[in-house]
Every structure is written in structure tokens, then in C-alpha cells.
Amino acid sequence: MNNLLLLIALPLITAFLLPIIDRFSPLLARLAGPLVLLATSAIGIWNWTLLGEQAVVIQIGGFLPPLGIVFYVDRMALMFAIAVSAGTLLLWPDGAKDRLRQSTLSLILAAAGSGLALSGDLFNIYVFYELTAVVSYGLVVSKSNPSAFAATIRYLIISAFGAALVLCGIALVYQATGTLNLAQLAQLAPEKLDNPQGLVAFILMLIGFGVKAELFPVNTWVPEVYATAPTRVSALLAGVVSKLALIVIVRLLVLVFHQPEAQTVMLVLGILGVATGELAAWRARDFNRMLAYSSIGQLGIMFIAFSIPGQAGVFAGLAVALHHLIVKPAMFLLAERWNGSLANLAGAARSSPIAAVLFIVLSLSLVGVPPFPGFWAKLLVLVNLAEQAQPLYYLAGVVILAGATLEASYLFRVASSFYHVDKQQPLPSAPRTRDIMLASALTAGLVASIFVMSPLAEQLEGMAAQSSDVDYYIQTVNPVVLTGGQR
Amino acid sequence: MDINLDISLMIYIAAGGLILAGSAGIVLSTHLLRIIFAIALLEAGANLLLLLASYRDGTAVPIIVDDHIPAVMADPVPQALVLTSIVIGVGVLALALGLVIRVQRTYGTLDIRELRERMAEDIADDAGIGRPVSSHAPLPVQAPGVVGADANE
């Protein structure tokens, strides 16, 4: 199990050695990144088979908690760590110019993302979060045209604002409890953090981490960045990084902050996110920004799902998150050549019929048409919302359904224009073969999961049960009951 | 008079003031460099807030001098956290200033409102869609020469 630390160490070392390797042998430098990510994905999958039913704790450096930093490896964390490595490998840069810089930054992103998924210490999470943020600034500015610079500096401003808010939240938490270890925080939370100070700390951390998770007030950077960044970087940000930030918030909500007001705040911000995201996507006139706003809407659905108390909420949220993790990068892969005005995409089915079919399948799943996985995920969210029997949760259900209607409208509007026959207009360019192959692999996985839906759902439910069990977390990290911090 | 309580309260107020000044600067400023400076203020305030968690009344610095261990020490953990955080802040600010230089060279302006307009126009042009025009925008003004030419005829 200890070799899970290689998920962080190997990509970091390779990233910093890459310029030196490139000096001696460009071919080796070209291969080093994908090979390392292949190795880390393999290590992650091998550990998945070893993991079994129990969660495992890795004590970094042998220092015992709560003074040492621990990595808490349960199935949800390991799944997202594998998704980070596999996703970065799948979306590996292949441009000719500044390939070295993009490879280095992608490797560091893989390392920081794995750390974010696995870490069990609050400040360690903050450090990995900042590392992800800085690397994403470098990746987003890759195109080096004026609008990229402007979009990146605006993204940096709002992200730095969020990071400072997280720091204030951590300050409040440490001031109240004297510890940063998530397990000990979970132990001390009912007496020390169940007050306005705890609620303010949660809201600060929610908005701070929510910048990356595209939460409602702080997601103004999303359309600008997704329109000016290379499409594979947008796919990485939308697909992988946003889920990692969301998982961090969910860990804090489940383990530490049990107040109902915390869930209400997440619910309200999620509802606003769905409403604004879907409406803006409906009005969008170019492909990249339509996908960006759609991503905001889907993440709003995830926030609503995770704000449902108990295991059911985590199960529903995990289902939507896993589904979005596969669908959005596939759509962004298709958008590589199709970026630009939606009006220019008329007749795309003639230049690339496979890509058109892929887009239709992905849209059907995103909207939530049975038997695709997106239907089951949204159904889970709606059923659990209805079970809560409170007006705000009913409102969330109504907003999600209205959002699904809007999604159907703007996605099928584009899909039907693919088959529009207009002899005068030139055909849009076809996506590259490599992109089509990768998108087909993802879509094939999506369709294959229809046939294994029942076992998959049981696995996810087991994952949610394990992750939402606070006592199990505390018992796994420190089997001996610890006293509280010095206060 | 409780002097120690006043000192800690004053520093809490100072940290809160720095955070407020930084946030107000980020939200209200129109010049890009002022926004960057406001980010620096905000991070300084957040670091000070984190450092205040280590304050104890009448304690010594947590350093062992000549094998003499102080009886009561202040908490050393937040001080280590703040060191990390300051370094992260310095790195991010350096990157931000590099981006500001690039923005100045390509757009020629550092006014955040003008930058937003021109960035939106550039994105729309790259995508091949028309520039976003509001239906409430004022009508274009005709050149004075045209009216004069009509009047002279």
C-alpha cells in the first residue's frame, strides 16, 4: 500500500527532471511523461484490487497522527486518484510547440491531484490545492494569445481570493480545535465546531475550494478560461480538477461540519448554480462556452446531491460525479476541432459521422435519457431529494428537472444541426482521429456500463457507505482514542 | 487592566482589517496592479489570522536556547503553516505580475473594465460569432461633416 505515495512522487520527480532529459534525448523526454502516468495508473489499479473492504491509512514518514500527516485511502479516494492519473494520461498534450512545458505542468497536475484525493490533513490539502491552482494557471495560458492572458489573470485573481478565504477558514478551525488532522477534527467537531465559528469556517472553505469546483458566486472564470485554453486543458479542469475540489468539500462536510445550516448553504448555492449554468448554456452561441456553462450546471447538481444528509447524498453525488467525469472530457475532445460558432457546425455529420453519433450518445446520457448512466444518476438525486420532504429540497428537484429540459434543448439543437443539409455552407472540419478514438473509448465505457449497472451501483453504494461513516474514519486513522488538542 | 487581552484583540482587529482591505481592493479596484497589491494585503491578513492561533498569554518563544526548555511555549505549528503559506503567496504573486506584464504588452491597458470588454470581443472574434451588443446600447453618432454637407446643399 505504501507504493501509493509513488502516485505523487514519481510524476513530481519526472516533471522536474524532464528538461534535463530533454537536453540529452528528446525522444525519451517525449515518452517519459506517458510512461510515468501509465505506471502510476497501474500502481493505483493494483492497489485497488488489494484494497478490499477496509480503508487503509498511510502514515507519512512513520509519524503517528495527529502530529504526523496521514493519507486516508478508502475506495472513493483511490478511485479519484486513479481517475487523475488515467485522465491526465488520456488528455496528454501532443502539440509541437512548448510541448516540454505542457508535459511538465501536466505531470505536476497529476501529482498534486493524487495528493488532493488521498490526503487526510487539512493544511496538506491546502498545499496540494494551491499546487493544482498554480499549475492550472500555467496550463491555461498555453495559447499565448491576448485573450488567454486576460482570462488567466482574471482566473488567478479569483483563485487567489478563494485560497486566502480557505486560509482564513483553516485559521478559524485551528483556533477552535488545535488540530488539523481530519480524523481528530471529526472527533472534536461536535463540541468545538458546532457553533457560529464552525459555520463561518465552513462557508469560507466552501467558497474558497468552490472556486475550482465551479460553485455559484465564484465561477465567473469558467466560460472565459474554457474558451481561451486549449481544449484538452479545459477537459482536464472540467473533468478531473473540479471533482477533486468537490471531494475535498464533501470530506469536510461529512466528517467535520454536521450543522444543517452548512447543508442548506450548499443546497442554495447548488440550486443557483444549476439555474444560472443551464440558462447561460441555452444562450451560448459557441461550442466551448456552451460546454463550460453546461459543466457549471452539472456541478450545481452535484452540490445539490451532496447536500442531502446521510449516505444517500454521498451515493447520489458520487454517481453524478463519476458520470460527468467520463462524459465531459469526451465532449471536450470532440470540441477540439469543433470549437467556434455553433452556426458553423451545420452539416458536421457528413464530414465525420462517427463524431456526430458520439456527440448524440453523450448528450443523451448528459440529459438523462434511459438506459444511459446519466438517467440513473439523476434519478438517484431526484428520488433522494423527494424523500427529504422539505420545501428547499423540492425546489432543488424542480430546478434540476427544468435544467434537464434546457439541456435537452441546447444539446439537441446542436445535434440536429449536424444533420442539416445546406449545399452552400462549407463543411466543418472533422475532429482528429486521435480525438475520435479517445472519445469513442470513453463513450464505449459509458455504454458498457449500462449492462453492468446493478453491480456498479452496489459498488458505488458501498463506497458511499464507507466514506460517510464518520466513526469508521476516526477508528481507522487512530485506533487508540486520543485526547483533544491543547486548548 | 487586562493588557494582554487588549494586545491580542488589537492584532485580531488588525488581521480582520487587512482581510477587509484586501477583499475591498480586489472587488472595487479598476487598475490591475492595485488588484494584485490587494491580493497581497488579503494574504497578509489571512496569514496573520492563522498566526494568532498560536498566541498564548505569557508564553515564551518555542525555541530551545542553550538546553533551556521554556516552561510554557507558544504553539509552533501555526508558525510553520504561515511560513509555507507566505512562500505560496510569493510564488503566486510573482506569476501574477508576469501575467500583468504580458497583458500590458498585448492590450496596452491595465484597466480591468476595458480588459474585460476587449477580452470578450477577442473571444467572440476567435469563435467566429458576432460581438455581444446590447439592445440598450446607444445609437451610433453620425460624423458632423455629413450634417454640414446636407445643410450646405
Side-chain angles (χ1 to χ4, degrees):
Chain A
M1 266 303 159
N2 279 345
N3 45 18
L4 272 177
L5 290 179
L6 287 174
L7 251 65
I8 301 170
L10 269 184
L12 264 183
I13 296 176
T14 316
F16 290 118
L17 285 180
L18 214 53
I20 304 177
I21 299 177
D22 190 58
R23 200 60 82 86
F24 291 118
S25 156
L27 176 64
L28 191 57
R30 211 179 265 253
L31 291 177
L35 282 178
V36 161
L37 286 178
L38 203 58
T40 55
S41 308
I43 292 175
I45 296 176
W46 184 52
N47 277 305
W48 175 272
T49 55
L50 287 180
L51 191 56
E53 293 297 317
Q54 308 283 60
V56 169
V57 169
I58 303 177
Q59 295 161 352
I60 311 281
F63 295 110
L64 293 176
L67 290 177
I69 294 178
V70 294
F71 271 20
Y72 181 76
V73 186
D74 61 355
R75 281 184 287 163
M76 180 174 88
L78 192 51
M79 177 179 83
F80 279 103
I82 298 173
V84 168
S85 288
T88 316
L89 178 60
L90 215 63
L91 297 164
W92 189 252
D94 60 346
K97 63 181 182 74
D98 81 344
R99 171 186 48 84
L100 189 62
R101 185 178 74 180
Q102 289 205 30
S103 313
T104 309
L105 290 174
S106 300
L107 281 173
I108 302 179
L109 185 66
S114 310
L116 206 52
L118 297 172
S119 180
D121 177 274
L122 196 52
F123 201 75
N124 200 13
I125 288 177
Y126 171 72
V127 170
F128 279 126
Y129 179 77
E130 278 293 276
L131 191 51
T132 316
V134 172
V135 162
S136 65
Y137 305 150
L139 281 173
V140 160
V141 84
S142 297
K143 272 193 190 163
S144 297
N145 51 11
S147 54
F149 293 135
T152 311
I153 189 70
R154 287 169 58 86
Y155 172 38
L156 188 151
I157 290 171
I158 205 168
S159 194
F161 179 67
L165 287 184
V166 170
L167 208 51
C168 295
I170 294 178
L172 287 176
V173 166
Y174 190 82
Q175 208 269 338
T177 58
T179 179
L180 290 166
N181 185 308
L182 281 180
Q184 199 177 5
L185 278 175
Q187 223 174 339
L188 295 172
E191 26 173 310
K192 301 247 171 90
L193 284 176
D194 201 9
N195 47 17
Q197 184 175 2
L199 184 60
V200 170
F202 174 70
I203 292 179
L204 285 172
M205 286 197 274
L206 174 68
I207 299 194
F209 286 122
V211 174
K212 281 277 180 310
E214 303 178 19
L215 187 61
F216 167 65
V218 283
N219 56 10
T220 51
W221 59 271
V222 173
E224 304 163 357
V225 162
Y226 285 18
T228 55
T231 7
R232 64 152 206 106
V233 169
S234 306
L236 265 179
L237 282 179
V240 176
V241 175
S242 56
K243 308 300 176 303
L244 293 172
L246 184 62
I247 287 305
V248 165
I249 298 176
V250 168
R251 282 267 196 234
L252 288 172
L253 187 70
V254 164
L255 290 174
V256 183
F257 298 102
H258 299 139
Q259 301 100 317
E261 291 92 356
Q263 290 158 352
T264 311
V265 169
M266 257 180 81
L267 183 62
V268 168
L269 291 178
I271 293 175
L272 289 169
V274 173
T276 55
E278 302 296 356
L279 281 173
W282 193 58
R283 294 268 304 170
R285 288 179 296 156
D286 62 322
F287 203 71
N288 268 335
R289 277 193 287 189
M290 180 185 85
L291 290 182
Y293 286 120
S294 165
S295 172
I296 293 179
Q298 288 284 318
L299 276 159
I301 297 180
M302 281 177 240
F303 272 106
I304 293 177
F306 281 120
S307 72
I308 300 172
Q311 174 195 331
V314 181
F315 181 26
L318 271 182
V320 183
L322 194 54
H323 168 254
H324 194 244
L325 190 72
I326 299 180
V327 167
K328 246 324 136 47
M331 282 185 142
F332 269 111
L333 279 171
L334 292 176
E336 175 81 47
R337 283 292 159 82
W338 278 348
N339 60 345
S341 170
L342 286 173
N344 291 344
L345 290 178
R350 268 184 297 153
S351 56
S352 58
I354 304 177
V357 167
L358 286 176
F359 182 79
I360 291 181
V361 169
L362 291 168
S363 308
L364 283 172
S365 193
L366 199 63
V367 170
V369 175
F372 291 101
F375 166 71
W376 297 109
K378 275 196 184 163
L379 184 66
L380 210 52
V381 176
L382 288 169
V383 164
N384 285 318
L385 280 174
E387 272 177 10
Q388 297 303 312
Q390 285 171 38
L392 206 53
Y393 286 104
Y394 283 149
L395 177 65
V398 168
V399 169
I400 292 182
L401 285 171
T405 317
L406 282 173
E407 274 174 353
S409 166
Y410 64 74
L411 283 173
F412 294 138
R413 193 168 56 186
V414 174
S416 72
S417 79
F418 287 166
Y419 293 94
H420 186 75
V421 175
D422 189 350
K423 296 291 193 293
Q424 278 92 357
Q425 245 188 336
L427 286 178
S429 51
R432 298 176 302 182
T433 322
R434 180 172 179 261
D435 292 337
I436 294 188
M437 281 195 336
L438 287 172
S440 335
L442 287 170
T443 317
L446 197 70
V447 170
S449 70
I450 300 177
F451 302 103
V452 294
M453 192 54 65
S454 219
L456 193 61
E458 276 173 23
Q459 282 267 330
L460 276 179
E461 191 162 17
M463 242 188 255
Q466 192 185 42
S467 300
S468 50
D469 193 351
V470 183
D471 295 320
Y472 180 73
Y473 191 102
I474 300 175
Q475 276 303 109
T476 313
V477 174
N478 36 7
V480 177
V481 175
L482 289 173
T483 55
Q486 277 293 341
R487 254 291 116 175
Chain B
M1 192 164 59
D2 213 342
I3 297 210
N4 282 335
L5 186 58
D6 279 344
I7 289 179
S8 130
L9 185 62
M10 277 198 303
I11 304 185
Y12 267 111
I13 293 176
L18 277 173
I19 293 175
L20 201 59
S23 308
I26 294 177
V27 170
L28 295 174
S29 291
T30 53
H31 194 268
L32 205 50
L33 266 184
R34 288 201 183 160
I35 298 180
I36 306 293
F37 292 157
I39 293 177
L41 273 183
L42 176 60
E43 280 175 1
N47 289 333
L48 190 55
L49 193 62
L50 187 49
L51 202 51
L52 277 171
S54 73
Y55 176 76
R56 305 279 185 284
D57 275 346
T59 53
V61 177
I63 297 176
I64 300 178
V65 179
D66 295 332
D67 282 337
H68 168 65
I69 303 174
V72 189
M73 286 194 274
D75 193 352
V77 172
Q79 306 181 20
L81 301 178
V82 166
L83 268 176
T84 310
S85 168
I86 291 177
V87 170
I88 294 176
V90 166
V92 169
L93 278 178
L95 185 57
L97 287 174
L99 278 171
V100 165
I101 293 178
R102 290 291 204 137
V103 165
Q104 159 70 24
R105 281 202 195 137
T106 49
Y107 277 117
T109 175
L110 284 179
D111 188 326
I112 198 86
R113 296 165 295 194
E114 192 181 332
L115 278 174
R116 190 173 56 215
E117 300 287 326
R118 289 176 59 181
M119 178 185 67
E121 286 178 359
D122 281 344
I123 292 178
D125 283 342
D126 286 339
I129 57 183
R131 297 177 175 193
V133 170
S134 164
S135 58
H136 301 288
L139 293 170
V141 178
Q142 293 210 315
V146 177
V147 176
D150 277 348
N152 282 336
E153 279 201 7

